[in-house]
PDB file of all heavy atoms in Angstrom:
ATOM      1  N   SER R   2      91.405 -42.167 227.081  1.00  0.00           N
ATOM      2  CA  SER R   2      90.025 -41.573 227.122  1.00  0.00           C
ATOM      3  C   SER R   2      89.943 -40.388 228.028  1.00  0.00           C
ATOM      4  O   SER R   2      89.219 -39.524 227.866  1.00  0.00           O
ATOM      5  CB  SER R   2      89.085 -42.676 227.499  1.00  0.00           C
ATOM      6  OG  SER R   2      89.258 -43.183 228.778  1.00  0.00           O
ATOM      7  N   LYS R   3      90.855 -40.336 229.109  1.00  0.00           N
ATOM      8  CA  LYS R   3      90.815 -39.304 230.021  1.00  0.00           C
ATOM      9  C   LYS R   3      91.302 -37.971 229.309  1.00  0.00           C
ATOM     10  O   LYS R   3      90.767 -36.972 229.474  1.00  0.00           O
ATOM     11  CB  LYS R   3      91.715 -39.567 231.328  1.00  0.00           C
ATOM     12  CG  LYS R   3      91.014 -40.620 232.199  1.00  0.00           C
ATOM     13  CD  LYS R   3      91.810 -40.685 233.417  1.00  0.00           C
ATOM     14  CE  LYS R   3      91.268 -41.757 234.312  1.00  0.00           C
ATOM     15  NZ  LYS R   3      91.983 -41.884 235.545  1.00  0.00           N
ATOM     16  N   SER R   8      89.987 -32.663 226.906  1.00  0.00           N
ATOM     17  CA  SER R   8      89.943 -31.703 225.818  1.00  0.00           C
ATOM     18  C   SER R   8      88.523 -31.323 225.343  1.00  0.00           C
ATOM     19  O   SER R   8      88.220 -30.235 225.031  1.00  0.00           O
ATOM     20  CB  SER R   8      90.772 -32.237 224.629  1.00  0.00           C
ATOM     21  OG  SER R   8      90.126 -33.290 224.055  1.00  0.00           O
ATOM     22  N   GLU R   9      87.610 -32.346 225.384  1.00  0.00           N
ATOM     23  CA  GLU R   9      86.232 -32.002 225.033  1.00  0.00           C
ATOM     24  C   GLU R   9      85.648 -31.082 226.106  1.00  0.00           C
ATOM     25  O   GLU R   9      84.787 -30.305 225.812  1.00  0.00           O
ATOM     26  CB  GLU R   9      85.423 -33.327 224.959  1.00  0.00           C
ATOM     27  CG  GLU R   9      85.532 -34.082 223.688  1.00  0.00           C
ATOM     28  CD  GLU R   9      84.594 -35.234 223.545  1.00  0.00           C
ATOM     29  OE1 GLU R   9      83.554 -35.254 224.299  1.00  0.00           O
ATOM     30  OE2 GLU R   9      84.878 -36.164 222.803  1.00  0.00           O
ATOM     31  N   ARG R  10      86.014 -31.362 227.368  1.00  0.00           N
ATOM     32  CA  ARG R  10      85.513 -30.482 228.477  1.00  0.00           C
ATOM     33  C   ARG R  10      85.892 -29.058 228.220  1.00  0.00           C
ATOM     34  O   ARG R  10      85.015 -28.148 228.333  1.00  0.00           O
ATOM     35  CB  ARG R  10      85.899 -30.954 229.751  1.00  0.00           C
ATOM     36  CG  ARG R  10      84.961 -30.626 230.872  1.00  0.00           C
ATOM     37  CD  ARG R  10      85.404 -31.146 232.223  1.00  0.00           C
ATOM     38  NE  ARG R  10      85.726 -32.552 232.205  1.00  0.00           N
ATOM     39  CZ  ARG R  10      86.487 -33.211 233.045  1.00  0.00           C
ATOM     40  NH1 ARG R  10      87.072 -32.490 233.965  1.00  0.00           N
ATOM     41  NH2 ARG R  10      86.752 -34.528 232.997  1.00  0.00           N
ATOM     42  N   SER R  13      83.861 -27.769 225.202  1.00  0.00           N
ATOM     43  CA  SER R  13      82.486 -27.622 225.532  1.00  0.00           C
ATOM     44  C   SER R  13      82.312 -26.335 226.262  1.00  0.00           C
ATOM     45  O   SER R  13      81.342 -25.597 226.135  1.00  0.00           O
ATOM     46  CB  SER R  13      81.967 -28.773 226.360  1.00  0.00           C
ATOM     47  OG  SER R  13      82.012 -29.924 225.597  1.00  0.00           O
ATOM     48  N   LYS R  14      83.266 -26.017 227.284  1.00  0.00           N
ATOM     49  CA  LYS R  14      83.195 -24.811 228.015  1.00  0.00           C
ATOM     50  C   LYS R  14      83.132 -23.622 227.083  1.00  0.00           C
ATOM     51  O   LYS R  14      82.472 -22.679 227.253  1.00  0.00           O
ATOM     52  CB  LYS R  14      84.194 -24.776 229.077  1.00  0.00           C
ATOM     53  CG  LYS R  14      84.110 -23.597 229.978  1.00  0.00           C
ATOM     54  CD  LYS R  14      85.219 -23.661 231.073  1.00  0.00           C
ATOM     55  CE  LYS R  14      85.064 -22.425 231.872  1.00  0.00           C
ATOM     56  NZ  LYS R  14      86.118 -22.416 232.888  1.00  0.00           N
ATOM     57  N   SER R  15      84.106 -23.608 226.153  1.00  0.00           N
ATOM     58  CA  SER R  15      84.232 -22.522 225.243  1.00  0.00           C
ATOM     59  C   SER R  15      83.024 -22.367 224.357  1.00  0.00           C
ATOM     60  O   SER R  15      82.588 -21.238 224.049  1.00  0.00           O
ATOM     61  CB  SER R  15      85.592 -22.559 224.469  1.00  0.00           C
ATOM     62  OG  SER R  15      85.491 -23.680 223.568  1.00  0.00           O
ATOM     63  N   PHE R  19      80.598 -19.249 224.363  1.00  0.00           N
ATOM     64  CA  PHE R  19      80.356 -18.485 223.121  1.00  0.00           C
ATOM     65  C   PHE R  19      78.834 -18.429 222.824  1.00  0.00           C
ATOM     66  O   PHE R  19      78.326 -17.374 222.532  1.00  0.00           O
ATOM     67  CB  PHE R  19      80.952 -19.323 221.899  1.00  0.00           C
ATOM     68  CG  PHE R  19      80.521 -18.797 220.515  1.00  0.00           C
ATOM     69  CD1 PHE R  19      81.068 -17.703 220.061  1.00  0.00           C
ATOM     70  CD2 PHE R  19      79.575 -19.509 219.703  1.00  0.00           C
ATOM     71  CE1 PHE R  19      80.674 -17.209 218.802  1.00  0.00           C
ATOM     72  CE2 PHE R  19      79.219 -19.107 218.538  1.00  0.00           C
ATOM     73  CZ  PHE R  19      79.782 -17.942 218.041  1.00  0.00           C
ATOM     74  N   LYS R  21      76.479 -18.548 225.068  1.00  0.00           N
ATOM     75  CA  LYS R  21      75.935 -17.544 226.148  1.00  0.00           C
ATOM     76  C   LYS R  21      76.222 -16.089 225.644  1.00  0.00           C
ATOM     77  O   LYS R  21      75.311 -15.274 225.695  1.00  0.00           O
ATOM     78  CB  LYS R  21      76.681 -17.832 227.418  1.00  0.00           C
ATOM     79  CG  LYS R  21      76.095 -16.880 228.593  1.00  0.00           C
ATOM     80  CD  LYS R  21      76.739 -17.204 229.937  1.00  0.00           C
ATOM     81  CE  LYS R  21      78.217 -16.707 229.899  1.00  0.00           C
ATOM     82  NZ  LYS R  21      78.881 -16.817 231.180  1.00  0.00           N
ATOM     83  N   ASP R  22      77.442 -15.840 225.188  1.00  0.00           N
ATOM     84  CA  ASP R  22      77.720 -14.517 224.704  1.00  0.00           C
ATOM     85  C   ASP R  22      76.958 -14.098 223.527  1.00  0.00           C
ATOM     86  O   ASP R  22      76.456 -12.988 223.403  1.00  0.00           O
ATOM     87  CB  ASP R  22      79.168 -14.362 224.301  1.00  0.00           C
ATOM     88  CG  ASP R  22      80.111 -14.443 225.589  1.00  0.00           C
ATOM     89  OD1 ASP R  22      79.649 -14.290 226.690  1.00  0.00           O
ATOM     90  OD2 ASP R  22      81.362 -14.788 225.484  1.00  0.00           O
ATOM     91  N   GLY R  26      74.428 -11.164 223.737  1.00  0.00           N
ATOM     92  CA  GLY R  26      74.533 -10.000 222.673  1.00  0.00           C
ATOM     93  C   GLY R  26      73.279  -9.791 221.930  1.00  0.00           C
ATOM     94  O   GLY R  26      72.896  -8.611 221.652  1.00  0.00           O
ATOM     95  N   GLY R  28      70.232 -10.462 222.890  1.00  0.00           N
ATOM     96  CA  GLY R  28      69.235  -9.864 223.748  1.00  0.00           C
ATOM     97  C   GLY R  28      69.521  -8.461 223.975  1.00  0.00           C
ATOM     98  O   GLY R  28      68.522  -7.598 223.922  1.00  0.00           O
ATOM     99  N   THR R  30      71.008  -6.392 221.817  1.00  0.00           N
ATOM    100  CA  THR R  30      70.730  -5.758 220.615  1.00  0.00           C
ATOM    101  C   THR R  30      69.260  -5.563 220.406  1.00  0.00           C
ATOM    102  O   THR R  30      68.777  -4.531 219.995  1.00  0.00           O
ATOM    103  CB  THR R  30      71.287  -6.615 219.440  1.00  0.00           C
ATOM    104  OG1 THR R  30      72.652  -6.699 219.628  1.00  0.00           O
ATOM    105  CG2 THR R  30      71.109  -5.874 218.107  1.00  0.00           C
ATOM    106  N   LEU R  34      67.330  -1.990 220.076  1.00  0.00           N
ATOM    107  CA  LEU R  34      66.507  -1.670 218.885  1.00  0.00           C
ATOM    108  C   LEU R  34      65.157  -1.287 219.328  1.00  0.00           C
ATOM    109  O   LEU R  34      64.486  -0.408 218.755  1.00  0.00           O
ATOM    110  CB  LEU R  34      66.460  -2.859 217.839  1.00  0.00           C
ATOM    111  CG  LEU R  34      67.762  -3.091 217.124  1.00  0.00           C
ATOM    112  CD1 LEU R  34      67.721  -4.284 216.262  1.00  0.00           C
ATOM    113  CD2 LEU R  34      68.134  -1.910 216.331  1.00  0.00           C
ATOM    114  N   LEU R  35      64.600  -1.923 220.245  1.00  0.00           N
ATOM    115  CA  LEU R  35      63.174  -1.637 220.690  1.00  0.00           C
ATOM    116  C   LEU R  35      63.156  -0.305 221.420  1.00  0.00           C
ATOM    117  O   LEU R  35      62.133   0.386 221.229  1.00  0.00           O
ATOM    118  CB  LEU R  35      62.598  -2.790 221.630  1.00  0.00           C
ATOM    119  CG  LEU R  35      62.400  -4.067 220.927  1.00  0.00           C
ATOM    120  CD1 LEU R  35      62.061  -5.189 221.978  1.00  0.00           C
ATOM    121  CD2 LEU R  35      61.363  -3.938 219.913  1.00  0.00           C
ATOM    122  N   VAL R  40      62.875   6.172 222.497  1.00  0.00           N
ATOM    123  CA  VAL R  40      63.664   7.259 222.905  1.00  0.00           C
ATOM    124  C   VAL R  40      63.737   8.346 221.742  1.00  0.00           C
ATOM    125  O   VAL R  40      63.761   9.502 221.939  1.00  0.00           O
ATOM    126  CB  VAL R  40      65.126   6.852 223.285  1.00  0.00           C
ATOM    127  CG1 VAL R  40      65.942   7.967 223.541  1.00  0.00           C
ATOM    128  CG2 VAL R  40      64.970   5.945 224.484  1.00  0.00           C
ATOM    129  N   GLN R  42      61.642   9.128 219.425  1.00  0.00           N
ATOM    130  CA  GLN R  42      60.489   9.901 219.046  1.00  0.00           C
ATOM    131  C   GLN R  42      60.416  11.208 219.876  1.00  0.00           C
ATOM    132  O   GLN R  42      60.518  11.097 221.078  1.00  0.00           O
ATOM    133  CB  GLN R  42      59.153   9.074 219.356  1.00  0.00           C
ATOM    134  CG  GLN R  42      59.041   7.811 218.533  1.00  0.00           C
ATOM    135  CD  GLN R  42      57.802   7.058 218.892  1.00  0.00           C
ATOM    136  OE1 GLN R  42      57.170   7.226 219.928  1.00  0.00           O
ATOM    137  NE2 GLN R  42      57.489   6.058 218.053  1.00  0.00           N
ATOM    138  N   PRO R  43      60.212  12.241 219.227  1.00  0.00           N
ATOM    139  CA  PRO R  43      60.126  13.536 219.947  1.00  0.00           C
ATOM    140  C   PRO R  43      58.763  13.630 220.635  1.00  0.00           C
ATOM    141  O   PRO R  43      57.755  13.163 220.210  1.00  0.00           O
ATOM    142  CB  PRO R  43      60.242  14.632 218.869  1.00  0.00           C
ATOM    143  CG  PRO R  43      59.716  13.870 217.626  1.00  0.00           C
ATOM    144  CD  PRO R  43      60.199  12.452 217.763  1.00  0.00           C
ATOM    145  N   GLU R  48      50.547  22.552 222.856  1.00  0.00           N
ATOM    146  CA  GLU R  48      50.185  23.715 221.966  1.00  0.00           C
ATOM    147  C   GLU R  48      50.012  24.989 222.834  1.00  0.00           C
ATOM    148  O   GLU R  48      49.255  24.893 223.912  1.00  0.00           O
ATOM    149  CB  GLU R  48      49.028  23.358 221.115  1.00  0.00           C
ATOM    150  CG  GLU R  48      49.149  22.287 220.167  1.00  0.00           C
ATOM    151  CD  GLU R  48      48.009  22.011 219.322  1.00  0.00           C
ATOM    152  OE1 GLU R  48      47.146  22.947 219.260  1.00  0.00           O
ATOM    153  OE2 GLU R  48      47.865  20.926 218.765  1.00  0.00           O
ATOM    154  N   VAL R  50      48.199  27.717 223.944  1.00  0.00           N
ATOM    155  CA  VAL R  50      46.739  28.249 223.884  1.00  0.00           C
ATOM    156  C   VAL R  50      46.938  29.690 224.360  1.00  0.00           C
ATOM    157  O   VAL R  50      47.255  29.920 225.498  1.00  0.00           O
ATOM    158  CB  VAL R  50      45.876  27.428 224.792  1.00  0.00           C
ATOM    159  CG1 VAL R  50      44.446  27.910 224.698  1.00  0.00           C
ATOM    160  CG2 VAL R  50      45.866  25.897 224.314  1.00  0.00           C
ATOM    161  N   SER R  55      41.766  39.235 230.290  1.00  0.00           N
ATOM    162  CA  SER R  55      40.540  39.511 231.114  1.00  0.00           C
ATOM    163  C   SER R  55      40.151  41.003 231.088  1.00  0.00           C
ATOM    164  O   SER R  55      41.015  41.860 231.228  1.00  0.00           O
ATOM    165  CB  SER R  55      40.687  39.036 232.615  1.00  0.00           C
ATOM    166  OG  SER R  55      39.510  39.346 233.347  1.00  0.00           O
ATOM    167  N   LYS R  56      38.878  41.221 230.697  1.00  0.00           N
ATOM    168  CA  LYS R  56      38.526  42.597 230.695  1.00  0.00           C
ATOM    169  C   LYS R  56      37.769  43.036 231.986  1.00  0.00           C
ATOM    170  O   LYS R  56      37.306  44.071 232.097  1.00  0.00           O
ATOM    171  CB  LYS R  56      37.597  42.906 229.466  1.00  0.00           C
ATOM    172  CG  LYS R  56      38.290  42.632 228.178  1.00  0.00           C
ATOM    173  CD  LYS R  56      37.388  42.834 226.973  1.00  0.00           C
ATOM    174  CE  LYS R  56      38.122  42.533 225.693  1.00  0.00           C
ATOM    175  NZ  LYS R  56      37.193  42.683 224.590  1.00  0.00           N
ATOM    176  N   VAL R  60      29.016  44.851 233.943  1.00  0.00           N
ATOM    177  CA  VAL R  60      27.595  44.745 234.070  1.00  0.00           C
ATOM    178  C   VAL R  60      26.977  45.215 232.675  1.00  0.00           C
ATOM    179  O   VAL R  60      26.937  46.379 232.387  1.00  0.00           O
ATOM    180  CB  VAL R  60      27.048  45.630 235.168  1.00  0.00           C
ATOM    181  CG1 VAL R  60      25.539  45.596 235.302  1.00  0.00           C
ATOM    182  CG2 VAL R  60      27.733  45.254 236.490  1.00  0.00           C
ATOM    183  N   PRO R  62      23.644  45.042 229.809  1.00  0.00           N
ATOM    184  CA  PRO R  62      22.216  45.261 229.918  1.00  0.00           C
ATOM    185  C   PRO R  62      21.457  44.017 230.363  1.00  0.00           C
ATOM    186  O   PRO R  62      20.543  43.986 231.185  1.00  0.00           O
ATOM    187  CB  PRO R  62      21.679  45.777 228.631  1.00  0.00           C
ATOM    188  CG  PRO R  62      22.958  46.422 228.062  1.00  0.00           C
ATOM    189  CD  PRO R  62      24.115  45.679 228.622  1.00  0.00           C
ATOM    190  N   HIS R  63      21.880  42.809 229.780  1.00  0.00           N
ATOM    191  CA  HIS R  63      21.184  41.597 230.170  1.00  0.00           C
ATOM    192  C   HIS R  63      21.487  41.125 231.603  1.00  0.00           C
ATOM    193  O   HIS R  63      20.669  40.577 232.287  1.00  0.00           O
ATOM    194  CB  HIS R  63      21.436  40.413 229.149  1.00  0.00           C
ATOM    195  CG  HIS R  63      22.822  39.864 229.250  1.00  0.00           C
ATOM    196  ND1 HIS R  63      23.925  40.378 228.731  1.00  0.00           N
ATOM    197  CD2 HIS R  63      23.247  38.697 229.794  1.00  0.00           C
ATOM    198  CE1 HIS R  63      24.982  39.608 228.929  1.00  0.00           C
ATOM    199  NE2 HIS R  63      24.568  38.642 229.636  1.00  0.00           N
ATOM    200  N   ILE R  64      22.667  41.556 232.084  1.00  0.00           N
ATOM    201  CA  ILE R  64      22.966  41.265 233.482  1.00  0.00           C
ATOM    202  C   ILE R  64      22.160  42.135 234.396  1.00  0.00           C
ATOM    203  O   ILE R  64      21.508  41.719 235.445  1.00  0.00           O
ATOM    204  CB  ILE R  64      24.495  41.463 233.803  1.00  0.00           C
ATOM    205  CG1 ILE R  64      25.267  40.510 233.043  1.00  0.00           C
ATOM    206  CG2 ILE R  64      24.835  41.318 235.242  1.00  0.00           C
ATOM    207  CD1 ILE R  64      25.167  39.010 233.402  1.00  0.00           C
ATOM    208  N   TYR R  68      19.474  40.918 237.391  1.00  0.00           N
ATOM    209  CA  TYR R  68      19.493  41.406 238.765  1.00  0.00           C
ATOM    210  C   TYR R  68      18.111  42.012 239.163  1.00  0.00           C
ATOM    211  O   TYR R  68      17.657  41.787 240.203  1.00  0.00           O
ATOM    212  CB  TYR R  68      20.597  42.474 238.920  1.00  0.00           C
ATOM    213  CG  TYR R  68      21.978  41.946 238.961  1.00  0.00           C
ATOM    214  CD1 TYR R  68      23.156  42.833 238.620  1.00  0.00           C
ATOM    215  CD2 TYR R  68      22.296  40.650 239.400  1.00  0.00           C
ATOM    216  CE1 TYR R  68      24.412  42.345 238.625  1.00  0.00           C
ATOM    217  CE2 TYR R  68      23.637  40.249 239.412  1.00  0.00           C
ATOM    218  CZ  TYR R  68      24.667  41.054 239.056  1.00  0.00           C
ATOM    219  OH  TYR R  68      25.936  40.632 239.066  1.00  0.00           O
TER     220      TYR R  68
END
Side-chain angles (χ1 to χ4, degrees):
S2 63
K3 288 183 180 182
S8 64
E9 277 186 25
R10 207 178 310 155
S13 298
K14 184 178 178 183
S15 65
F19 172 74
K21 182 178 73 172
D22 292 342
T30 303
L34 289 175
L35 291 174
V40 174
Q42 293 176 351
E48 294 182 21
V50 178
S55 177
K56 297 179 182 177
V60 180
H63 75 277
I64 297 293
Y68 286 156

